Structure formats: C-alpha cells, structure tokens
C-alpha cells in the first residue's frame, strides 16, 4: 500500500444472486483514495454506488478482486475484525438518518464512543464538541422524533464524526433534505474535512452535493466511466 | 456491562409495552411464590397438627391392627407390654383401645369408632381430661365434625351399641361432655372418645390396648414382640404425598400464567426484531458485532425479568409478608379432602422457594428472548440498514 493511500480497489466485481443466475452490480472497479479526500460516487440510479460504498464500509464483501481499506483486505476480513474496523475508523451517514429513536440526541452521539471504551469525561467532551460542530448543543435532551429532518441529519453527522474516524461514508445524505439544509450540512462536512483531515466519500446523484465535491467518480452499469478531480471547486 | 446499560436504555425508552410485560411477569412470579408458600405453610401446619393430635412421635400397633380394616379391630388388642406400661407411667406414651360401635342419630344407624384414651394423658391434644367427670351415663367427647354429622350438642345423651370381646352385643347411654375443635379430620370424623378404663370394661378386656402413641418429645422404637413400631414419617406419608399432589395440581394454573407472560415477551421480541431492523443495521454499521447485537436483544428481553423481580419485590414482598402475618382464611368445607386444614393457613416462604422461582423466571425469559434474537445473526447488514422486510 502506498503512503497516504487509504483505500485501494483492484478489479473489483460484485455479483448478486438473482434466482438461479446472478446480477453483476460492480464490474472491474479500480480505485484509490488518499487521506483527506472529499469525493463522491455519482451516477444514475442502479449504477452501483451504494454497493461500492457498502464494500468500502466492510458491510459487504467483493465477489472478485481486491479491496483494501486502511490496510485491511475486506474480502478476507472476518466478521469480528470488520466490526472492529468500522468501530474504530469508519463513520456512516445514511439517507434516512438511522438515529436510535429511543435515545436522546446526546445518547445517539455518545453511542459510538460506548463501543470503544472511552472514559466518561472524555466521552462527554467529545460528544459536546461534536454537537458544537453541528450547532446542536441546545438540543441534547431531545429525541429524534422531536427534531426536523435537517436537525436529524446534523445529529447523524455528529454521530459519525464524534470518534474522529479516518473515513466517513455518506449514502445520499441530502436526499431527504431541502436545499437550505443540504447546503448547511455540506458546508459543515467540508469544514470538518478541512479541519480534521477526515476523508469523505459520498454516494449521490444530488446536484447540491455534487457541486461541493473535490473529486467525482462517475459510475454507469457497475463501471467507472469518469474519475475527475475538480480544481475549480466553487468557493462558498 | 455495555449490553446491560444499552438494554436498560432501550427498554425504558420503549415505555408502556415494557412496563406491561414487566408487570405481568412480576405478578406471575409473586403468585407462584405465594401459592407455593401457602402450600408449604399448609404442609407445615398439617404436620404440626397431625403430630399434636394423632401421630405423636410414632406409634406402636398391635400386630393385627389395620386402621383401614374395621374387622381387624376385634382381633387387635392385647395386654399392655411392660416397656410401654413404664413409658405410659412416665408420660412418654399413651395407650389407645379401638373398637367399632354404632350410634343412632335421628334413629338412623351410623357406624363409628370408639377410642379409649386415658384422661390423664398429655401425649396428644385430645382434651381427654374432660372425661374425668362423674355422671350416670358414660362420659364421652367428640369433635365438631362428628357433632355436626350426628347432630349432637354438648350435654346431649345418646345410646351407643357395641360388641364386646366375646361377640356379645351391648348398649348403653353416653353423655357428650365436650365437643372439641381439631384441624385433623381423621381424629374427629366418625370418632368418639371415652376413658380407656370404661372402654376396657365395656369390651371386657381389662388392661388391654390396640395401640400406643409416643409423645412427640420422646423416642421409643425398640422391638416389642406382638407389636409393630410405626415411625412418624410412615404415619405422615399419606398426607405428605397428598399435599405434594396438591402442589403439582395447584401450580398448573400458575405455569399457564407464566407461559402467557413468556408468550408476551416472545411476541415483543419477535416484533421488535422485525421492526427494529434498521436499528440493528445501524448498530452493525457503527461497529457492533452481530454477537453483541444478539446479546443486546437477549439482555433486553431478559431484563424484563430483572425489572419484574425488582418491581415484584417492591409491591409483592410486602404483600407476601403481610399474608404470612395475618394468614389466609380457608373456605369452610375444604377439609373434605381428608387433609388437615386449619381455618387459617400461614404461608411459609423458604429462601429456596424464592430463589428458585426467580431463577426459573429469569432463565425462561432469557431463553425466550434469545430464540428470536438469534435470527439477527442471520440478517444481512446492508438490507437491515435500509429496513428491508425480509
Ligand atoms: N442485495 C441485492 N440483491 C440483488 N440485487 C441487488 C442487491 N443490492 C443491489 N442490487 C442491485 O445492484 C444494482 C446496484 O444497486 P445500488 O444500490 O448499488 O445502486 P445505486 O447506484 O446506489 O442506486 P440508487 O441511486 O438508486 O441508490 C441495482 O441494480 C440493484 O438492483
Ligand atoms: Mg444507493
């Protein structure tokens, strides 16, 4: 693995069984990501964005080829080590927020830290910092049901960021948000990307997201058709 | 422990449903403890009563005596052996002479058992001292059940008939000098007590007896020829077995209740695993292993039992203690079963009973919670995250 190379993907193929046959969702993917990227997988619906993101997130495994994330061979990782990889180094943001409904905002953000044996005082500081980044320190006692969609997604961002992971994977994070909230969330993530050097990888077809990306990887029918670095990233 | 902490958060967060399950469960286990405590209390009381009124610390029977065969009574009396004579004079035992007789309540013939007992004895609780009265008729005492069935009152005079040792029928008037209350039906129903001396005279067998009751504070069990020693345990066996059966029979209802509580928890678990797919996927995405998630859901289910134990202890233990103090009134007529039943039974709750009931509820709840939770480990996390119905 080269220096700075967080993720290396070689000749990756992903097949899903369908009836007696199979459906190839990803076909011969070659990709690398470096620390601090702010990249997006874009492309039409069904092109394989989520599938690729799930493999990078060690939630799924390649059918063929090789995917290395932070030095771990995803295809060979056992369930336990995959869980440890996610617990320590990966943050997830979902289209549907996926907050734990019975937990307060504070408890939701605290959750990832409970899994990594952090002392109570460190935990408290980290949670408050994360809620400060997303501007929700005044809502710590609220339940997800009491929040707007935008607020929920900000909690989800805080939850993904609280342990300062190396990589954040965000699948359609703005699909359920209006324009103002989408911009707000994206700006926040850009700031975190710059300050903490966290790598962000999106899967999206939302123009509002795409305009913030520093790298666009375009998928079509499970293949990469374009991989471009955006130099003239719109300054906002 | 993390699972406990998270499970507690989830349960309390789930609100009403949790508390409903917890309440039913706590109610069930308190009822089980109460029921068994009552049966144990009853058993204890029956043992004490039987010991005091009938069994003593064992008995000696004439070798021909069979309490279930009335015809054996004629053949089963003999001179009192030396050893028992001595024990009787020391108050360590008391002789009883048993024969069959008839009584005529309302002109109907009714068979009964005559028991000759020493008015001086203090071995059993029969108030035989009451027989020490001068009267024209033969003084006798009977229990309340006998008095009811023969419609006799204290002071009544009635005729009894019997057959003496030579087979000759005879009849005399007796006077009811005392009616006693006793919880042991076999001491009371169909029994009439008169002084041993009178009975021996009536039977024309002076100095003879059918059996001996050994005082509850004494120990005699040497071999005496012509007499058979019957231990206290032997004499209690039938009653103990009957109560054991009652225990099994009585608990069926409570186990059905327990089953229902388990069904509710099983249902809650199945439902929550179905409804909480997205949450399960999220746990996995955040780095919990599937084992941990299965553990969390199992602990959540099992925690119903833990909360039930706590809640049950809060309202149940005062109730149980209160019952132990004031006793439970038994409905009249229950003693037709032939088992001694006091008017009031004071439940006895052994530590073993409480611990085993609590453990039982805990273990069953955990198993019932684990079964559906185990399904989680078969879930595909990427589907679970989306909350896809499988
Ligand atoms: N578990 C699965 N079983 C079978 N086919 C699947 C499965 N998951 C995804 N697919 C198929 O793989 C293809 C790629 O799916 P994927 O979810 O990666 O698309 P996507 O690019 O994320 O689309 P969208 O923009 O709509 O989210 C789709 O055609 C989909 O039907
Ligand atoms: Mg997708």
């Amino acid at each position: 693995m080269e220096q700075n190379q967080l993720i290396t993907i070689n000749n990756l193929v992903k097949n899903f069984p369908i009836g007696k046959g199979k459906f190839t969702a990803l076909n011969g993917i070659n990709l690398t990501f470096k620390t601090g990227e702010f990249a997006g997988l874009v492309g039409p619906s069904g092109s394989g964005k989520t599938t690729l993101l799930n493999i990078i997130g060690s939630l799924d495994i390649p059918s063929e080829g090789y995917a290395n994330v932070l030095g771990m061979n995803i295809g060979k990782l056992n369930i336990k080590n995959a869980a440890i990889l996610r617990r320590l180094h990966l943050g997830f943001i979902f289209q549907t927020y996926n907050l734990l409904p019975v937990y307060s905002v504070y408890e939701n953000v605290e959750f990832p830290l409970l899994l990594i044996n952090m002392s109570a005082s460190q935990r408290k500081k980290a949670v408050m910092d994360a809620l400060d980044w997303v501007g929700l320190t005044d809502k710590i006692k609220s339940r997800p049901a009491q929040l707007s969609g935008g607020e929920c997604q900000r909690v989800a961002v805080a939850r993904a960021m609280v342990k300062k992971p190396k990589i954040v994977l965000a699948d359609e994070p703005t699909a359920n948000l209006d324009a103002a909230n989408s911009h707000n969330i994206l700006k926040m993530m850009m700031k975190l990307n710059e300050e903490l050097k966290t790598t962000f990888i999106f899967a999206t077809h939302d123009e509002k997201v795409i305009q913030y990306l520093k790298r666009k990887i375009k998928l079509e029918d499970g293949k990469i058709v374009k991989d471009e670095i955006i130099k003239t990233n719109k300054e906002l | 422990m993390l699972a406990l902490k998270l499970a507690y958060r989830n349960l309390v967060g789930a609100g009403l449903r949790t508390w409903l399950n917890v309440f039913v469960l706590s109610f069930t286990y308190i009822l089980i403890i109460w029921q068994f405590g009552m049966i144990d209390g009853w058993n204890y009381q029956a043992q004490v009563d039987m010991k005091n009124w009938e069994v003593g610390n064992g008995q000696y029977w004439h070798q021909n005596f069979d309490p279930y065969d009335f015809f054996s009574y004629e053949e089963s009396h003999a001179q009192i052996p030396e050893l028992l004579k001595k024990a009787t004079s020391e108050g360590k035992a008391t002789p009883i002479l048993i024969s069959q007789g008839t009584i005529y309540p309302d002109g109907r013939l009714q068979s009964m058992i005559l028991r000759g007992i020493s008015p001086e004895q203090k071995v059993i609780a029969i108030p035989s001292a009451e027989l020490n009265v001068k009267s024209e008729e033969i003084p006798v005492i009977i229990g309340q059940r006998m008095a009811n069935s023969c419609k006799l009152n204290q002071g009544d005079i009635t005729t009894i008939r019997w057959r003496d040792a030579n087979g000759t029928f005879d009849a005399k008037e007796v006077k009811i000098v005392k009616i006693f209350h006793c919880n042991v039906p076999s001491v009371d129903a169909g029994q009439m007590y008169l002084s041993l001396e009178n009975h021996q005279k009536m039977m024309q067998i002076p100095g003879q007896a059918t059996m001996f009751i050994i005082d509850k504070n004494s120990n005699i069990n040497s071999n005496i020829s012509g007499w058979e020693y019957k231990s206290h345990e032997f004499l209690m066996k039938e009653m103990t077995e009957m109560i054991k059966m009652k225990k099994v029979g009585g608990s069926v209802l409570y186990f059905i209740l327990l089953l229902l509580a388990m069904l509710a928890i099983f249902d809650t678990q199945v439902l929550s695993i179905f409804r909480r797919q997205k949450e399960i996927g999220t746990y996995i995405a955040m780095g919990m292993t599937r084992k941990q998630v299965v553990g969390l859901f199992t602990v959540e289910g099992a925690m119903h039992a833990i909360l039930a134990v706590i809640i049950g202890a809060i309202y149940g233990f005062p109730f149980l203690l209160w019952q132990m103090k004031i006793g439970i009134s038994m409905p009249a007529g229950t003693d037709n079963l032939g088992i001694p039943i006091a008017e009031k039974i004071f439940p006895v709750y052994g530590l073993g009973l409480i611990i085993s009931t609590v453990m039982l509820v805990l273990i069953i709840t955990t198993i019932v919670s684990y079964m559906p939770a185990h399904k989680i480990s078969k879930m595909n996390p990427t589907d679970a995250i989306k909350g896809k119905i499988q």
Side-chain angles (χ1 to χ4, degrees):
Chain A
M1 196 167 90
E2 274 177 48
Q3 201 81 38
N4 271 352
Q5 215 114 294
L6 269 263
I7 300 167
T8 310
I9 293 166
N10 291 330
N11 302 321
L12 182 137
V13 176
K14 179 68 188 177
N15 300 316
F16 290 110
I18 284 188
K20 288 210 175 90
K22 59 183 184 181
F23 176 81
T24 305
L26 294 173
N27 193 358
I29 302 288
N30 289 293
L31 257 182
T32 56
F33 290 94
K34 293 188 180 66
T35 301
E37 287 206 49
F38 201 76
L41 307 170
V42 302
S45 182
S47 57
K49 306 182 292 291
T50 300
T51 306
L52 183 53
L53 212 58
N54 283 340
I55 292 172
I56 295 171
S58 75
L59 292 168
D60 211 343
I61 50 168
S63 308
E64 287 168 40
Y66 172 76
N68 185 310
V69 176
L70 297 165
M72 304 282 180
N73 182 345
I74 298 294
K76 297 265 157 61
L77 217 49
N78 66 29
I79 285 183
K80 181 147 185 245
N81 287 333
I84 292 171
L85 172 68
R86 291 193 295 271
R87 194 184 302 167
L88 296 177
H89 302 303
L90 305 183
F92 287 85
I93 296 169
F94 307 99
Q95 174 178 342
T96 50
Y97 327 132
N98 289 30
L99 299 178
L100 303 173
V102 302
Y103 288 12
S104 68
V105 165
Y106 183 93
E107 289 166 339
N108 262 289
V109 177
E110 186 190 25
F111 191 92
L113 303 180
L114 292 175
L115 299 178
I116 54 171
N117 294 329
M118 200 183 249
S119 78
S121 58
Q122 276 180 301
R123 230 161 44 217
K124 182 153 193 216
K125 187 176 178 313
V127 173
M128 292 316 287
D129 282 350
L131 285 170
D132 193 33
W133 298 332
V134 299
L136 277 175
T137 43
D138 55 334
K139 295 260 161 115
I140 58 172
K141 290 218 172 73
S142 307
R143 292 285 169 105
Q146 298 165 318
L147 301 177
S148 71
E151 285 169 332
C152 281
Q153 200 57 303
R154 275 148 69 196
V155 176
V157 171
R159 180 176 67 179
M161 293 301 301
V162 69
K163 64 187 175 195
K164 302 201 175 125
K166 297 226 162 71
I167 304 166
V168 169
L169 303 168
D171 194 355
E172 316 274 8
T174 56
N176 289 340
L177 300 179
D178 61 20
N181 270 310
S182 300
H183 285 293
N184 184 327
I185 291 272
L186 258 297
K187 277 185 205 158
M188 224 168 54
M189 293 203 261
M190 265 187 81
K191 197 164 142 248
L192 290 167
N193 166 253
E194 273 152 22
E195 286 175 9
L196 302 173
K197 291 282 163 272
T198 308
T199 305
F200 279 78
I201 304 174
F202 295 86
T204 186
H205 44 220
D206 181 355
E207 268 311 316
K208 298 191 290 301
V209 176
I210 293 171
Q211 61 181 298
Y212 287 87
L213 297 177
K214 294 177 191 161
R215 178 181 175 191
K216 268 198 289 193
I217 302 152
K218 189 157 191 218
L219 290 179
E220 250 167 51
D221 290 333
K223 292 198 180 83
I224 296 174
V225 294
K226 204 155 133 200
D227 184 350
E228 53 178 339
I229 308 284
I230 294 72
K231 293 265 160 49
T232 55
N233 182 303
K234 196 158 102 187
E235 285 306 323
L236 305 132
Chain B
M1 205 179 132
L2 181 63
L4 273 178
K5 183 175 178 165
L6 299 180
Y8 180 77
R9 273 187 190 175
N10 287 343
L11 271 195
V12 172
L16 192 63
R17 178 186 277 275
T18 300
W19 296 116
L20 220 66
N21 284 337
V22 164
F23 183 75
V24 171
L25 205 55
S26 70
F27 190 66
T28 307
Y29 96 90
I30 290 293
L31 267 183
I32 292 175
I33 293 177
W34 179 77
Q35 154 90 356
F36 282 176
M38 199 180 88
I39 292 176
D40 286 349
W42 176 13
N43 194 359
Y44 173 76
Q45 200 150 353
Q47 303 252 10
V48 169
D49 283 344
M50 275 185 75
K51 198 165 189 171
N52 287 341
W53 285 87
E54 188 177 23
V55 168
N57 191 23
Q59 298 176 344
Y60 275 97
W61 290 1
H62 184 272
Q63 59 190 6
N64 297 335
F65 179 60
D66 175 359
Y68 299 111
D69 177 10
F70 294 158
F71 299 108
S72 78
Y73 295 5
E74 289 174 24
E75 313 291 305
S76 43
H77 46 80
Q79 285 297 322
I80 297 174
E82 252 344 283
L83 189 110
L84 290 172
K85 199 177 271 178
K86 186 163 166 279
T88 304
S89 66
E90 287 166 353
K92 289 178 181 167
T94 195
I96 308 278
L97 178 62
I98 300 175
S99 71
Q100 228 196 326
T102 29
I103 188 168
Y104 300 91
D106 293 332
R108 272 188 305 116
L109 178 148
Q110 193 175 316
S111 181
M112 64 166 175
I113 289 163
L114 287 164
R115 288 179 184 256
I117 184 169
S118 161
E120 280 75 44
Q121 69 81 27
K122 295 203 165 55
V123 171
I124 51 172
I126 306 284
S128 53
E130 304 278 345
L131 296 168
N132 257 336
V133 287
K134 285 263 171 297
S135 105
E136 224 154 271
E137 302 80 16
I138 299 171
V140 298
I141 56 179
I142 56 175
Q144 190 65 55
R145 291 176 187 79
M146 178 71 170
N148 292 345
S149 72
C150 297
K151 301 201 173 64
L152 288 168
N153 293 311
Q154 192 163 330
D156 283 359
I157 292 167
T158 183
T159 305
I160 63 163
R161 224 165 84 99
W162 71 93
R163 224 154 69 128
D164 71 17
N166 305 319
T168 316
F169 280 99
D170 204 347
K172 257 204 176 103
E173 307 254 272
V174 298
K175 182 176 182 181
I176 314 293
V177 295
K178 169 83 181 168
I179 292 171
F180 63 85
H181 285 270
C182 170
N183 298 327
V184 187
S186 53
V187 167
D188 175 342
Q191 315 288 316
M192 182 176 276
Y193 293 82
L194 65 169
S195 83
L196 181 64
E197 212 180 327
N198 279 337
H199 199 191
Q200 288 168 337
K201 262 189 229 155
M202 283 155 57
M203 299 295 292
Q204 302 191 343
I205 43 171
Q208 297 202 7
T210 306
M211 67 154 169
F212 286 80
I213 302 171
I214 301 161
D215 187 79
K216 54 182 179 288
N217 301 317
S218 301
N219 242 324
I220 309 174
N221 55 13
S222 28
N223 272 330
I224 302 173
S225 98
W227 299 78
E228 274 172 24
Y229 173 71
K230 304 286 177 188
S231 72
H232 165 255
E233 289 74 29
F234 169 81
L235 297 166
M236 293 283 206
K237 207 171 127 203
E238 205 174 325
M239 190 229 26
T240 324
E241 264 162 22
M242 224 135 128
I243 287 186
K244 235 186 239 158
M245 255 161 59
K246 276 243 86 157
K247 201 166 181 167
V248 173
S251 30
V252 167
L253 192 78
Y254 297 92
F255 282 105
I256 290 175
L257 205 63
L258 188 63
L259 209 75
L260 283 177
M262 289 304 143
L263 210 66
I265 287 172
F266 185 79
D267 185 55
T268 306
Q269 287 288 102
V270 171
L271 244 166
S272 70
I273 284 152
F274 194 67
R275 281 191 322 192
R276 290 164 66 189
Q277 280 185 82
K278 217 162 114 176
E279 183 182 333
I280 291 164
T282 310
Y283 286 137
I284 292 173
M286 283 196 285
M288 277 176 96
T289 59
R290 291 177 202 202
K291 244 196 212 149
Q292 274 179 311
V293 181
V294 173
L296 172 62
F297 275 71
T298 307
V299 171
E300 261 184 47
M303 200 171 260
H304 285 101
I306 295 170
L307 290 177
V309 167
I310 296 167
I311 301 287
I314 290 169
Y315 74 79
F317 283 15
F319 165 78
L320 293 174
L321 289 174
W322 176 70
Q323 285 277 279
M324 194 162 81
K325 214 170 152 208
I326 67 148
I328 301 153
S329 300
M330 297 309 289
T334 16
D335 68 10
N336 295 341
L337 297 163
I339 310 171
I341 300 188
E343 280 154 38
K344 261 188 174 180
I345 286 178
F346 296 87
V348 176
Y349 316 110
L351 197 65
L353 167 68
I354 294 176
I355 291 176
S356 55
T357 310
V358 167
M359 288 310 284
L360 178 84
V361 170
L362 254 170
I363 290 169
I364 298 184
T365 315
T366 307
I367 294 170
V368 161
S369 308
Y370 173 74
M371 290 187 310
H374 180 67
K375 280 210 172 324
I376 292 171
S377 60
K378 300 201 176 81
M379 263 185 204
N380 180 347
T382 56
D383 289 341
I385 288 166
K386 291 179 221 147
K388 271 192 195 164
I389 292 166
Q390 303 178 342

